[in-house]
Amino acid sequence: MTAITDKGTAKALDDQLASLDLAGRLSLVASLGGRTVFTTSLGIEDQVITAAIGTHRLPIDVATLETGRLFKETVDLIGETESQYDITITRYHPLKDDIDEYVAKYGMNGFYESVEARHACCGVRKLKPLARALEGASFWITGLRRGQSGNRAETPFAEFDAERNLIKINVLADWDIETLKAYVEENAVPVNPLHARGYPSIGCEPCTRAIKPGEPERAGRWWWENDEKRECGLHVPEAALPSLESSAL
Ligand code: SF4
């Protein structure tokens, strides 16, 4: 069954999803036809979504971007989560040619040197694999929350993604961190041990640090950059990113 993915459908879904619980939101999207993909970073939000998908046996493809620079704890958690919920989490890796080209131009850790180099790295290690993960998808489920940072404060439950021609579904848009922790506790959801060591938001190892008390949840991501709105590009329209001179995108 082909799903309709346009602005009007996204708006109607946004209204419908607001009154449902997590399982209800996921079930509704999975019932609409078309391919539904959930991309997990293995963070606490995404572990809660994976738990709901696995527990309710929902027909949603679970995928992760295995950038090659993840923490060992994160990589270990992929396998542990698959075992606990008897699901497959499909790993999408960067292409060797893209990495070789990046390293030749910027160096392996060139992302510390400029925003352009950083976006180029996220381009080859995240954005291109994401495009492969979302091929043919009608719905893209994410764990974005309004409380994660100022530029996520207006996150809707459903929004039309014109660049990818799909509807992006943010099933946890209105959840706060305390609700997440309670869900994890009640349902024995496996979580990344780094959360307990001061990492509320976990990305690639060289680009994530623990935060200090009182800092925003995403302050430890690309902490050396001054832009308060820094993101990796997964959830930012391509046109809003700095121009990328490399062939990263
Ligand atoms: S988070 Fe860092 S290492 Fe990971 S893809 Fe982006 S720049 Fe590269």
Side-chain angles (χ1 to χ4, degrees):
M1 181 169 57
T2 308
I4 299 169
T5 53
D6 58 18
K7 263 189 179 173
T9 308
K11 176 72 188 84
L13 263 178
D14 190 46
D15 293 340
Q16 280 179 283
L17 291 167
S19 61
L20 299 175
D21 64 10
L22 174 58
R25 289 171 182 174
L26 291 166
S27 299
L28 172 62
V29 176
S31 73
L32 297 174
R35 180 174 179 237
T36 300
V37 178
F38 164 52
T39 51
T40 173
S41 68
L42 286 298
I44 186 169
E45 292 85 0
D46 292 345
Q47 286 302 92
V48 163
I49 296 172
T50 301
I53 291 172
T55 302
H56 297 280
R57 311 307 303 165
L58 296 172
I60 294 173
D61 293 339
V62 183
T64 194
L65 308 179
E66 227 292 20
T67 64
R69 304 301 303 266
L70 299 179
F71 287 90
K72 180 182 182 304
E73 289 86 342
T74 304
V75 175
D76 290 348
L77 188 56
I78 299 173
E80 188 188 335
T81 305
E82 288 181 315
S83 299
Q84 177 150 336
Y85 297 106
D86 190 23
I87 59 168
T88 298
I89 300 176
T90 306
R91 286 93 160 147
Y92 287 85
H93 301 268
L95 301 179
K96 183 178 179 308
D97 284 355
D98 288 341
I99 296 298
D100 289 347
E101 190 180 334
Y102 179 85
V103 172
K105 182 167 183 181
Y106 298 103
M108 181 63 87
N109 291 340
F111 40 79
Y112 292 127
E113 304 303 322
S114 70
V115 173
E116 178 219 322
R118 205 267 287 171
H119 280 294
C121 185
C122 286
V124 296
R125 290 187 185 275
K126 292 184 173 178
L127 288 177
K128 286 183 79 171
L130 175 69
R132 299 203 310 276
L134 294 177
E135 251 168 43
S138 299
F139 301 100
W140 174 23
I141 293 175
T142 86
L144 295 188
R145 286 189 301 111
R146 294 168 191 156
Q148 284 171 321
S149 63
N151 53 322
R152 293 187 176 183
E154 305 294 326
T155 300
F157 293 110
E159 56 190 321
F160 179 57
D161 183 332
E163 278 169 22
R164 299 183 176 95
N165 192 30
L166 50 71
I167 295 178
K168 190 169 164 184
I169 308 285
N170 308 308
V171 284
L172 298 180
D174 57 347
W175 283 44
D176 60 26
I177 190 70
E178 297 312 321
T179 310
L180 277 170
K181 287 178 179 172
Y183 187 102
V184 164
E185 185 76 23
E186 277 166 32
N187 297 280
V189 178
V191 293
N192 197 317
L194 292 170
H195 288 313
R197 290 183 227 151
Y199 294 79
S201 176
I202 305 168
C204 292
E205 182 167 17
C207 299
T208 309
R209 66 155 170 80
I211 65 167
K212 301 180 192 84
E215 281 190 312
E217 287 183 33
R218 287 176 63 82
R221 306 291 299 277
W222 310 289
W223 70 94
W224 64 90
E225 292 180 6
N226 290 323
D227 179 4
E228 288 307 311
K229 294 195 168 186
R230 55 190 183 264
E231 292 273 357
C232 62
L234 298 189
H235 302 295
V236 181
E238 197 174 313
L241 291 171
S243 73
L244 303 176
E245 289 174 12
S246 80
S247 59
L249 290 178

